Amino acid sequence: KKKKKVHKGLYLQYKKFFGKYKDELKKYIENKKTVDIAGHSKGSALALYFAQEFPKDVKVNLYLYGTPNLIGNDAFFDMDDNINIYNIAVKDDPISMITNKNYKKLKRNIVIDDNGIYVKDDNKKSYSIEGYMTMISELNKNVRELFISKRHSTDTYNKLFKNLINK
């Protein structure tokens, strides 16, 4: 079996975060059967690393926004069935298009733009735009961002979702 490899810088940030909150997170993990985790940009990588801390009997739903493709190799993404990934990107978001031959390109199964939401999911799961808006709104409240690109900001995601609902 191929060895898991991850982005060193992102993983070190995750370990620092996890180390700081390890006791609280372990308590949280113990009592859950289903957990929803959202992450934007670098937070998506941290969410992916965190999801693998959960026992296999806990269902983990990851809602990732603007995820860079510099997180892990194919072996890293060979995840257990208890982890569901919903990778959402604004069309033409430069951060979610960054790639490197050493890392797996994470499939963008939901793409949004001014004209609509495009679901690219082989499992034909149903998606709630309102649910995604709630997640991204919470991220907006709790995240301080360095806006590299307007197409990458959580404000852009939120505005596009609102416009789609009001159509």
Side-chain angles (χ1 to χ4, degrees):
K1 192 173 180 179
K2 199 173 180 185
K3 185 178 178 184
K4 289 184 180 184
K5 291 184 181 178
V6 295
H7 186 280
K8 184 178 179 181
L10 292 173
Y11 192 71
L12 287 173
Q13 285 187 329
Y14 167 71
K15 291 308 268 182
K16 183 177 178 182
F17 165 81
F18 189 73
K20 186 175 182 180
Y21 298 102
K22 186 176 186 174
D23 294 336
E24 292 90 348
L25 294 170
K26 290 282 186 187
K27 285 180 191 173
Y28 184 77
I29 290 171
E30 286 175 13
N31 301 318
K32 300 293 178 183
K33 292 297 170 205
T34 302
V35 176
D36 294 323
I37 303 171
H40 172 257
S41 194
K42 179 173 57 177
S44 295
L46 304 184
L48 278 159
Y49 299 145
F50 181 51
Q52 295 192 27
E53 300 282 348
F54 286 82
K56 290 179 175 50
D57 63 338
V58 176
K59 181 180 177 185
V60 180
N61 296 309
L62 288 172
Y63 299 91
L64 309 178
Y65 301 85
T67 308
N69 290 299
L70 302 173
I71 296 169
N73 65 354
D74 287 339
F76 171 80
F77 281 102
D78 187 17
M79 295 184 187
D80 296 316
D81 290 338
N82 66 314
I83 300 175
N84 298 311
I85 299 174
Y86 305 97
N87 189 25
I88 303 146
V90 170
K91 186 178 181 196
D92 301 327
D93 173 357
I95 302 303
S96 65
M97 293 189 284
I98 293 172
T99 59
N100 179 297
K101 65 179 179 173
N102 297 317
Y103 301 98
K104 178 178 179 165
K105 184 166 174 37
L106 185 59
K107 180 181 169 189
R108 300 187 313 172
N109 53 352
I110 302 168
V111 178
I112 55 176
D113 67 15
D114 295 319
N115 299 313
I117 185 166
Y118 307 94
V119 178
K120 299 177 178 182
D121 189 344
D122 301 332
N123 297 323
K124 308 283 189 281
K125 294 178 184 166
S126 61
Y127 297 97
S128 160
I129 294 173
E130 290 86 355
Y132 292 133
M133 275 188 61
T134 301
M135 291 278 197
I136 204 73
S137 293
E138 288 302 311
L139 277 173
N140 253 348
K141 291 178 195 171
N142 299 315
V143 173
R144 209 178 94 203
E145 297 179 81
L146 172 65
F147 293 112
I148 297 168
S149 164
K150 183 179 177 198
R151 296 298 285 177
H152 185 64
S153 75
T154 53
D155 283 337
T156 298
Y157 282 84
N158 214 11
K159 286 174 190 169
L160 285 169
F161 282 132
K162 282 180 183 174
N163 290 341
L164 292 173
I165 288 173
N166 294 328
K167 279 189 174 187

